[in-house]
Amino acid sequence: MSYNWDLIQRLLHEVQTSANDSFKPRRYAEEHAAQMESEGQPMPNLDSLRAEAADYESLLFEGGFIVTRPEEQGGNGENFVLTERGTRLLALLDNPQDVGQRQRLIDKGEAALVPEVFDEMAAGRS
């Protein structure tokens, strides 16, 4: 399995901006698909993309990339904040000058989002 890193990047950006709003991964997947289509890319299967986004939400939460937003920061039990690990992942995905970092994520396959593997890779040890 390989991850849809562009979709993960989109979800992480939405976490950053979801202060007082519930996190809606399925809606973000639809918006992502529409953006892809507007850029001339083929429209992905929306049902699959929505399910993938929901799976990524769980994976990012369980892996410690995102945590529930504290109430004092506008948390409502249905929105998140990036952890330090999530911030590092987003920085890797956002850096267009360093395609090597994204390739390293791709090369790791499913292990890329295993917390210990990601932490080693982000620290440059793997």
Side-chain angles (χ1 to χ4, degrees):
M1 173 188 164
S2 62
Y3 293 121
N4 181 336
W5 292 108
D6 291 333
L7 180 56
I8 290 172
Q9 181 179 18
R10 172 67 183 259
L11 294 175
L12 293 172
H13 276 288
E14 294 295 343
V15 165
Q16 278 188 318
T17 60
S18 68
N20 295 313
D21 196 14
S22 296
F23 189 72
K24 300 172 186 86
R26 292 176 176 275
R27 185 181 86 200
Y28 306 140
E30 292 168 4
E31 293 168 357
H32 179 70
Q35 180 182 352
M36 289 173 62
E37 188 176 41
S38 74
E39 293 171 353
Q41 298 177 41
M43 178 66 111
N45 178 302
L46 277 179
D47 289 334
S48 294
L49 199 62
R50 287 182 197 116
E52 191 174 17
D55 290 344
Y56 288 158
E57 176 186 8
S58 295
L59 188 63
L60 292 169
F61 184 79
E62 291 167 8
F65 294 90
I66 61 176
V67 294
T68 303
R69 182 178 292 274
E71 282 186 39
E72 60 273 8
Q73 293 179 18
N76 60 15
E78 296 180 4
N79 55 4
F80 305 100
V81 292
L82 295 176
T83 62
E84 181 181 333
R85 182 178 291 136
T87 301
R88 287 193 318 249
L89 176 58
L90 185 56
L92 290 175
L93 295 171
D94 275 350
N95 188 350
Q97 269 73 38
D98 195 355
V99 292
Q101 291 289 5
R102 188 175 285 234
Q103 187 59 50
R104 288 176 63 210
L105 288 168
I106 292 167
D107 292 345
K108 291 285 183 190
E110 286 185 48
L113 294 181
V114 171
E116 299 79 15
V117 173
F118 176 79
D119 291 346
E120 282 189 23
M121 189 195 76
R125 295 189 299 253
S126 145

